[in-house]
Amino acid sequence: MNFDALANTMNISDVAAYSERNAIILSSLKDDDPSFTCLILRNFSGDADCCDYSYYHKGIRDMEWLGHCVGKNTHLEDLCFGNADNFINSKESFCRGLKSNKSVQRLTFYDSNLS
C-alpha cells in the first residue's frame, strides 16, 4: 500500500474509530505536532482514553498507519512499548513505517519478555 499517496486523503477517524484518543494521537503524529514527543504503545484496553500519549493498538491496519505517521514525524523522541509480547502480530506492519523515522532517541520496553 502506498501510504504517502493515501496520507492526504486519510480519514483518521476511520483508522482509529474505536478510540478518540488514538485519533488525536494519529492526527498529532501526522501533522508533525512539535509538542508530541512521547508515544506509548499498549495492547487494546477498554480504558483506551486514559493517557494523553498512550496508543492502544487493535490490528494490523491500525499499526500500518501508526507506523507511517511515526516514520514521517520529526518531533517524536520517546517510543515505549508496553507488554510488547502482544505486539508481535503487528510488528512488521508498524516497523515498515518506523524505519523512516529520524527523531526517536529512546526506545523503552516494559512488562515484556524479550528473551
Side-chain angles (χ1 to χ4, degrees), residues 7 9 38 46 49-50 52 55 63 65 94 113 115:
T9 59
C38 178
D49 294 327
C50 73
D52 286 348
Y55 192 95
M63 293 306 288
W65 276 111
F94 176 74
N113 178 4
S115 60

Side-chain angles (χ1 to χ4, degrees), residues 5-35:
L6 296 172
N8 292 332
T9 59
M10 164 190 179
N11 186 341
I12 289 175
S13 296
D14 288 344
V15 174
Y18 55 88
S19 170
E20 182 179 342
R21 171 56 40 207
N22 281 8
I24 291 168
I25 289 172
L26 269 179
S27 183
S28 294
L29 289 167
K30 182 178 180 275
D31 296 341
D32 208 16
D33 179 348
S35 69

